[in-house]
Amino acid sequence: MKAIMYEGPRDLKIIDVDRLPMAENQIRLKSLYSGVSHGTEMNVYRGLAPFFRKKQDPVTRLFVDADESELWEYPVKSCDPGVWYMGYASVGEVIEVGSAVTGIKVGDIVTVSAPHQEENVVNAADAVILPKEIPAEKGILFTNLITAYNGIMDTHINLGDTVVVSGLGVIGQLLVQMAKMSGAFKVYGIDVLEKRRKAALENGADEVFDPTAGDVAMEIRKRTNNRGADKVIEASGNGAALNQAIRIAAPETTITALAWYQGALSKVDLSEEFHHNRIGIKQSQTGHVAPEFSNLWDYPRRVESCLEILKKLKTDNLFTEFAYDDICTAYHTIDKEPAKIIQAVITY
């Protein structure tokens, strides 16, 4: 079967590998679509991902230097054990089930966290069956939707709020729509790329701003009687955008940071609005929800909710398709010409 391999940063190729073995509790999938992450996967593609050199200690939850035996070294194949970062938004058709599997049958269409390769073998318990009303291609958004949904829950949007979404990539496009569903009266979007701003307007944003064209914080003040935004969700991963989010937020409010910020953020100024307006910053992370409601909103319930939400989301203006044999072109385009693509979709 075909899989992908990194020989080094930005050095990706398609390779042929043996068919994967399967255990009794697993299923085999023929890939139909997979989505390329424009955030985490691009950091891996560029060789910037911290887990190539560090690991999170499960006891202290601090990142520490990885042992020499734990360091990732090139080449890295998508089918190597433990490699989760060469694609994690896949939709496939079940073509084989293990003898101990129940609840999933051959022919089901499922969404899974699995890499960009022709076939995947995953634990049946980790697969989510897509309802027939959801087109298979749309299922590639499920992993991002879980992340965005956690961000919405962490933001606690109230009926009538003014919400600003900074960063209008895939996550931002989902946030705009879910903020409206949550009761926001006004949702404003921010992004440097015109294609993203245009899509956000089509997807329900009331107004969008190019941060290079003026002072967005001042524009939001003009639209809120100088209050500032009730809720700000920062989803770009850019330090300058996080600093702008601090300026946009109303005094005594907390920003939801939904992005993965790389390295030291030299453009974040904690001396002015952050200090005098008493702004908080809360990191929302895909694997966790706030403890005050985690007992009610466990993962199975969030899955159920996100499948219902996915049925309602407008996504047709987000996808750009690439055949699997052109996956290297997809990565290169995202890396060097991001204005052309919101969500790259690999077809099989």
Side-chain angles (χ1 to χ4, degrees), residues 9-238:
R10 292 185 169 92
D11 188 359
L12 182 71
K13 62 164 44 174
I14 296 174
I15 58 173
D16 287 311
V17 298
D18 293 336
R19 215 173 186 208
L20 299 171
M22 195 181 79
E24 63 177 11
N25 65 330
Q26 293 183 315
I27 57 176
R28 188 183 304 276
L29 306 174
K30 178 179 70 175
S31 297
L32 301 175
Y33 301 97
S34 59
V36 181
S37 156
H38 295 211
T40 301
E41 278 195 73
M42 279 297 104
N43 286 324
V44 174
Y45 178 72
R46 295 164 182 146
L48 301 176
F51 42 79
F52 270 58
R53 59 188 185 278
K54 288 192 172 185
K55 65 176 182 180
Q56 188 183 37
D57 176 37
V59 177
T60 64
R61 293 183 61 81
L62 297 175
F63 278 84
V64 297
D65 290 338
D67 297 333
E68 187 170 339
S69 62
E70 297 172 308
L71 293 173
W72 287 106
E73 295 181 350
Y74 297 107
V76 183
K77 300 174 186 177
S78 59
C79 55
D80 285 341
V83 174
W84 60 268
Y85 46 79
M86 295 178 75
Y88 53 82
S90 182
V91 174
E93 179 183 351
V94 179
I95 57 174
E96 186 180 355
V97 298
S99 58
V101 172
T102 60
I104 295 179
K105 63 184 186 300
V106 171
D108 283 343
I109 306 299
V110 300
T111 177
V112 293
S113 179
H116 307 294
Q117 51 194 39
E118 285 188 317
E119 285 188 4
N120 280 296
V121 171
V122 300
N123 293 334
D126 297 330
V128 175
I129 299 174
L130 283 178
K132 295 187 184 302
E133 313 93 277
I134 298 177
E137 185 175 19
K138 200 173 183 180
I140 65 157
L141 296 174
F142 183 79
T143 301
N144 277 330
L145 182 55
I146 286 283
T147 300
Y149 189 51
N150 280 6
I152 290 289
M153 297 182 80
D154 282 330
T155 304
H156 303 292
I157 296 170
N158 298 310
L159 185 65
D161 273 349
T162 294
V163 177
V164 172
V165 176
S166 170
L168 298 173
V170 173
I171 295 282
Q173 300 291 334
L174 304 179
L175 291 169
V176 164
Q177 297 182 64
M178 287 193 286
K180 281 285 190 177
M181 292 178 188
S182 301
F185 279 9
K186 293 289 184 181
V187 176
Y188 300 111
I190 306 171
D191 204 285
V192 297
L193 299 180
E194 182 181 4
K195 183 179 181 71
R196 295 179 177 183
R197 296 196 303 271
K198 182 174 181 286
L201 288 173
E202 294 170 352
N203 292 339
D206 293 280
E207 195 172 356
V208 293
F209 300 93
D210 178 352
T212 66
D215 187 343
V216 179
M218 194 62 72
E219 292 302 318
I220 297 299
R221 288 298 195 279
K222 291 176 183 176
R223 289 155 178 77
T224 56
N225 293 321
N226 289 323
R227 289 190 308 273
D230 301 298
K231 306 288 164 58
V232 182
I233 308 177
E234 209 303 291
S236 74
N238 181 278

Side-chain angles (χ1 to χ4, degrees), residues 276-297:
H276 292 280
N277 292 345
R278 289 166 49 94
I279 301 299
I281 302 174
K282 178 175 184 176
Q283 177 67 42
S284 181
Q285 204 272 340
T286 187
H288 303 273
V289 293
E292 60 265 27
F293 54 78
S294 61
N295 62 316
L296 293 174
W297 289 94

